């Protein structure tokens, strides 16, 4: 089953008279259960592509369909609803620095107007999932990079999304911590059935956890397929 579809998605940025064509007619299909990696050099358009999936960035043209819903056709209110089914994590974690671990994870649940008892139970489950039970009352500054990304993952999964978008999620981490976060992503995919779409400039990230890969260059997908096929070709 296809979970994410992009049809002829283009994105042009216009800032101060400068025009940057970041995406040209990109088509993409991600199946349910995939760990799909998009790789390419800096400036290739990966981040723009990822942000077009949850409409953090609005495509200039083209259609984005997630879970059978055409996001590009929705009103803001319906879009907010659908976004709860799409989690996202970031290179620099994007945590609330003045909030505790618990408060960071609870944040999207408050926005979604969950009751405080449901929030408490859900936050406990998530702390367990990412292995941060002993750090619930700490602030992000008291934690390591790997622990911060675990908070990011717990927050992204809070509303039970079907999809997790990962924007260079391990690029700010050392190799050992990177491995532990990649292992956590594998577990989340295997145990919870969450589909993962990640962007990276690092081949080893693709090789260690992805089953599918697309290679981007100059705003286009220039190659796509099973990881083994794409990277074992002569
Ligand atoms: P990547 O993630 O592969 O590094 P990006 O999607 O960030 O690529 O960028 C693709 C192109 O679009 C680059 O030329 C970049 O400078 C430009 N770009 C990205 N975001 C913006 C923006 N908000 N405003 C203007 N140009 C942007
Ligand atoms: P990343 O580490 O994700 O590649 P970037 O440094 O590419 O981050 O971009 C950081 C932010 O700056 C993003 O919100 C992106 O949209 C914006 N951005 C990137 N390139 C440009 C640009 N040429 N002009 C304006 N904004 C940009």
């Amino acid at each position: 089953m296809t979970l994410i579809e992009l049809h002829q998605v283009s994105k042009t940025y216009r800032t101060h008279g400068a025009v940057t064509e970041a995406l040209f007619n990109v088509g993409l299909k991600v199946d349910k259960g995939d760990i799909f990696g998009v790789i390419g050099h800096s400036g290739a358009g990966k981040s723009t592509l990822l942000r077009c999936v949850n409409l953090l960035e609005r495509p200039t043209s083209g259609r984005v369909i997630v879970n059978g819903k055409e996001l590009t056709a929705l009103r803001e209110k319906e879009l907010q609803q659908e976004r709860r089914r799409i989690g996202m994590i970031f290179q620099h974690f994007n945590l609330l620095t003045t909030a505790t671990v618990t408060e960071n994870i609870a944040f999207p649940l408050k926005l979604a107007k969950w009751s405080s008892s449901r929030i408490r139970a859900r936050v406990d489950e998530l702390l367990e999932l990412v292995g941060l039970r002993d750090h619930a009352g700490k602030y992000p500054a008291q934690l390591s990079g790997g622990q911060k990304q675990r908070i990011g993952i717990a927050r992204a999964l809070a509303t039970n999304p079907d999809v997790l978008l990962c924007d260079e999620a391990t690029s700010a981490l050392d190799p050992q911590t990177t491995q532990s976060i990649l292992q956590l992503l594998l577990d989340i995919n295997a145990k919870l059935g969450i589909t993962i779409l990640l962007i990276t400039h690092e081949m080893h990230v693709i090789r260690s956890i992805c089953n599918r890969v697309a290679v981007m260059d100059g705003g286009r997908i220039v190659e796509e397929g099973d990881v083994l096929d794409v990277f074992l070709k002569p």
Side-chain angles (χ1 to χ4, degrees), residues 46-144:
K46 306 181 295 295
S47 192
T48 302
L49 175 74
L50 198 70
R51 289 154 162 274
C52 279
V53 172
N54 59 4
L55 263 62
L56 221 50
E57 208 67 78
R58 238 179 214 281
T60 311
S61 61
R63 297 189 303 143
V64 176
I65 301 167
V66 180
N67 257 318
K69 289 249 165 96
E70 185 179 343
L71 302 189
T72 35
L74 295 181
R75 293 161 186 282
E76 195 54 36
K77 194 154 185 194
E78 298 167 290
L79 181 59
Q80 267 177 28
Q81 206 68 30
E82 290 305 313
R83 277 211 184 103
R84 291 188 187 131
R85 305 179 66 180
I86 309 174
M88 188 166 186
I89 60 174
F90 306 88
Q91 178 174 6
H92 299 293
F93 323 122
N94 295 14
L95 301 174
L96 303 166
T97 55
T98 57
T100 64
V101 171
T102 294
E103 289 162 351
N104 267 282
I105 299 172
F107 189 70
L109 300 174
K110 286 202 167 146
L111 287 182
K113 301 203 162 45
W114 285 35
S115 71
S116 29
S117 61
R118 272 184 83 205
I119 291 180
R120 227 171 295 136
R122 181 66 182 142
V123 170
D124 278 347
E125 270 177 17
L126 291 158
L127 286 168
E128 183 72 38
L129 175 75
V130 301
L132 285 179
R133 272 178 85 114
D134 299 337
H135 304 283
K138 291 188 181 163
Y139 288 86
Q142 297 173 281
L143 299 173
S144 68

Side-chain angles (χ1 to χ4, degrees), residues 13 15 20 22 40-49 57 199:
Y13 292 107
T15 33
T20 308
H41 299 297
S42 180
K46 306 181 295 295
S47 192
T48 302
L49 175 74
E57 208 67 78
I199 65 167

Side-chain angles (χ1 to χ4, degrees), residues 22 104 121 155 187 208:
N104 267 282
R155 179 181 60 181
D187 289 347
S208 40

Side-chain angles (χ1 to χ4, degrees), residues 28 36-40 46 49 197-201 206 213-214 216:
L28 188 71
F36 195 115
V38 178
I39 190 163
K46 306 181 295 295
L49 175 74
L197 175 58
L198 65 86
I199 65 167
T200 182
H201 61 278
I206 304 276
V213 64
M216 282 196 85

